[in-house]
Amino acid sequence: MSGDDQEILTAIIETLGAVTQNKVPVTASTVLRQDLNLDSLAEMDLLMALEDKFDVSISINHLPEIETVGDLAAMIAKMKEG
Amino acid sequence: MGLFDKFAPLLKEYEQVTAAGHNPFKVNVGKVVSPTEAVVNGRPTIMAGTNNYLGLTFDPTCIDAAVDALRREGTGTTGSRVANGSYEEHRRLEQELADFFGRRSAMVFSTGHHANLGILSTLAGPHDHLVIDADSHASIYDGCKLSSAQVTRFRHNNPEDLDKRLARLARQPGEKIVVVEGIYSMLGDRAPLKEIVEVAKRHGAYVVVDEAHSLGVLGRHGRGLAEEAEVEDQVDFIVGTFSKSLGAVGGFIVSNHPEFDVLRVACRTYKFTASLPPSVMASVSAALGVLRKKPELRLRLKANSTLLYDGMRRLGYQVGPEVSPVVAVHLPNLEVAVRFWNMLLESGIYVNLAPSHATPNGVSLLRCSVCAAHSREQLERILDVFQAIGTELGLLEEPRLAVAQ
């Protein structure tokens, strides 16, 4: 994992901390729906917050491909390159 | 893993909602008495959760027109217009809608949901972008899901946020289509349409406005928010429904786009479903006539909405951000909302229970919809009952006496 990727991951974990009130430890392998109990609306709101954080545009059509926090980080890294 | 395991969280919430008494999603309406009254569970009930804004469901002109068409043309079209042809009522209703909105073309769909599914999934191709308000109705989300386009949400009613997101998308190819609603169905708030249209046009985006809850409600002629905000000439497509202020069922799209008609052969929710029965279209036609001829209905609706909205506020309830025929009473949590809803029904008042997963910011609402045909007595009765239950449940700080004064 590159420094940039680590930075993205840390930022996502930070954002998720606010959503979950830090009740659940979050790592790259945390599954958004299952482990954090995020419903589709919460997932979309998370995506929106991350779009702003990283100044990227991520279509909500990508959500079905995103299972873990790591998937989300990889998606953002790709968008930032992109 | 069983087929139905994925529904476990939904089932849990459903059980929580239904365990407290009556099932809010399966209310048995025994007899419909008028636009504002029914018999529910054997009890005369004031209906204040039906979106029947102008109260035209029992309008004699509409009923006569429907009965006449039913006798003349039968019970149904038994297929789509592409296969079974267009009846006189299809053509007439489309012409009347186009005239009413002052647009070149209109297309009628079998439901409002179909109209949204149809336009969003058909207009936006794989490289295009649908940019939707985050609080959009399910039919807009479904239309996005059915389309192959890229979908971006912007923060609810926030033109600056839309601006920011469209600026980001400027780097990507494809057309941009901004989608908003006239009145949002859960909280009853209007889109800041003038500002949204300004932002959208500055970025070269198309604008779609869903006037489902604002047709017949807003604008000097009842054409909706685009008329009220004086931006009709900049709104590319207006979507609407016949199932609210027009008292029937069905949906429509109007536009000035010269190539609009090609959607009739491109749009799957138009091509592959049975068209509306002649009787429904005849009643909608008649209802549109009533809407045009009786602006006083809109004024009465406004007065009734103000009475209920102000009354709820005076009682101490938190309601939506502005006066609207949708009066959304905020409750602290789902459990209290369910209990309150049951007590209302037991007192002969029907409103909608909107559980947190169906509302913006996960708030539990008792969603009242006001009708032009509600009498002052009915609205005051609703307020009295809200006061009594709110006091009993400890939701109101102190009983207030000024409700009807």
Side-chain angles (χ1 to χ4, degrees):
Chain A
M1 186 178 283
S2 73
D4 265 9
D5 289 359
Q6 185 58 51
E7 201 180 306
I8 293 170
L9 190 61
T10 309
I12 295 174
I13 292 172
E14 243 174 58
T15 311
L16 274 170
V19 178
T20 62
Q21 281 134 26
N22 294 313
K23 281 181 193 151
V24 190
V26 180
T27 67
S29 57
T30 302
V31 179
L32 293 168
R33 286 205 169 212
Q34 218 170 292
D35 299 337
L36 302 181
N37 212 14
L38 296 192
D39 61 15
S40 58
L41 192 60
E43 280 188 345
M44 290 193 293
D45 287 344
L46 171 67
L47 205 61
M48 205 181 217
L50 294 173
E51 282 183 305
D52 288 343
K53 199 156 198 158
F54 296 104
D55 191 27
V56 291
S57 198
I58 314 166
S59 168
I60 59 172
N61 321 25
H62 291 303
L63 277 174
E65 303 155 30
I66 298 167
E67 204 178 333
T68 64
V69 171
D71 294 342
L72 193 51
M75 173 78 65
I76 291 170
K78 202 171 117 194
M79 295 295 167
K80 275 178 77 80
E81 278 167 25
Chain B
M1 180 93 180
L3 184 61
F4 281 79
D5 288 359
K6 58 175 133 348
F7 300 115
L10 187 61
L11 189 63
K12 199 173 148 201
E13 184 175 298
Y14 187 65
E15 281 167 352
Q16 190 192 349
V17 167
T18 52
H22 301 285
N23 185 338
F25 311 122
K26 276 195 199 165
V27 168
N28 292 316
V29 178
K31 181 177 172 2
V32 184
V33 180
S34 75
T36 60
E37 300 154 290
V39 178
V40 179
N41 301 324
R43 182 182 293 108
T45 299
I46 300 171
M47 303 305 275
T50 60
N51 300 329
N52 190 358
Y53 298 126
L54 299 181
L56 297 183
T57 45
F58 280 79
D59 186 280
T61 332
C62 301
I63 291 178
D64 288 349
V67 169
D68 184 47
L70 188 62
R71 292 205 183 280
R72 262 188 301 111
E73 307 212 21
T75 51
T77 64
T78 68
S80 90
R81 288 167 69 180
V82 176
N84 294 22
S86 291
Y87 286 36
E88 172 60 27
E89 275 79 12
H90 291 112
R91 294 192 297 270
R92 194 178 67 210
L93 182 55
E94 284 177 345
Q95 189 56 55
E96 286 171 0
L97 285 164
D99 288 348
F100 177 64
F101 283 98
R103 304 251 171 179
R104 187 196 287 246
S105 314
M107 233 172 121
V108 164
F109 289 75
S110 298
T111 67
H113 194 131
H114 270 171
N116 265 336
L117 287 189
I119 188 159
L120 301 180
S121 66
T122 312
L123 274 182
H127 301 294
D128 298 326
H129 297 265
L130 289 163
V131 185
I132 67 170
D133 186 287
D135 286 1
S136 289
H137 185 258
S139 59
I140 293 174
Y141 276 102
D142 292 351
C144 291
K145 207 167 180 178
L146 197 61
S147 84
S148 49
Q150 305 299 306
V151 183
T152 302
R153 297 158 83 231
F154 66 94
R155 290 182 202 282
H156 175 56
N157 274 355
N158 188 330
E160 292 80 28
D161 195 70
L162 172 66
D163 193 9
K164 187 171 70 183
R165 285 165 206 283
L166 283 172
R168 277 183 202 138
L169 289 174
R171 304 192 282 262
Q172 299 188 25
E175 302 290 347
K176 318 293 180 319
I177 303 165
V178 173
V179 187
V180 296
E181 297 179 39
I183 291 179
Y184 285 85
S185 62
M186 282 296 141
L187 295 180
D189 48 341
R190 283 172 295 182
L193 193 57
K194 214 177 181 78
E195 293 79 2
I196 282 175
V197 162
E198 187 278 313
V199 169
K201 292 296 157 188
R202 183 151 43 77
H203 288 277
Y206 291 90
V207 177
V208 177
V209 179
D210 180 349
E211 302 267 20
H213 291 267
S214 37
L215 168 66
V217 175
L218 300 178
R220 206 160 70 85
H221 301 90
R223 293 199 293 268
L225 182 62
E227 184 193 10
E228 186 187 73
E230 299 176 348
V231 290
E232 283 175 294
D233 57 334
Q234 295 179 75
V235 172
D236 300 276
F237 303 92
I238 285 180
V239 184
T241 178
F242 305 143
S243 63
K244 294 178 173 64
S245 55
L246 295 174
V249 67
F252 70 89
I253 306 170
V254 295
S255 177
N256 271 335
H257 201 287
E259 288 162 283
F260 182 72
D261 241 29
V262 74
L263 294 181
R264 291 186 198 276
V265 285
C267 190
R268 297 173 69 84
T269 60
Y270 178 88
K271 277 200 300 184
F272 295 116
T273 195
S275 65
L276 287 172
S279 54
V280 168
M281 290 183 287
S283 90
V284 172
S285 250
L288 198 57
V290 175
L291 189 158
R292 296 176 93 156
K293 276 187 226 123
K294 292 190 176 171
E296 63 269 26
L297 287 176
R298 220 159 26 257
L299 299 177
R300 208 174 304 150
L301 176 64
K302 178 89 195 224
N304 282 352
S305 306
T306 307
L307 194 151
L308 194 67
Y309 180 88
D310 286 351
M312 291 291 184
R313 280 187 62 170
R314 221 173 293 140
L315 286 174
Y317 286 109
Q318 187 190 339
V319 286
E322 58 179 302
V323 173
S324 131
V326 176
V327 178
V329 178
H330 292 52
L331 275 292
N333 57 52
L334 183 61
E335 199 186 337
V336 173
V338 170
R339 190 150 172 232
F340 201 126
W341 181 87
N342 272 280
M343 290 166 85
L344 283 171
L345 199 65
E346 295 285 333
S347 311
I349 289 166
Y350 175 77
V351 302
N352 306 125
L353 173 74
S356 47
H357 71 253
T359 64
N361 307 319
V363 65
S364 291
L365 301 172
L366 290 173
R367 176 188 178 277
C368 314
S369 58
V370 181
C371 179
H374 276 132
S375 66
R376 191 179 175 91
E377 291 69 34
Q378 286 177 319
L379 296 169
E380 282 169 358
R381 167 82 187 142
I382 293 171
L383 288 169
D384 285 347
V385 174
F386 263 85
Q387 180 175 30
I389 297 176
T391 306
E392 190 179 332
L393 295 181
L395 301 171
L396 302 176
E397 281 171 15
E398 57 190 68
R400 311 210 181 167
L401 301 170
V403 178
Q405 288 159 18

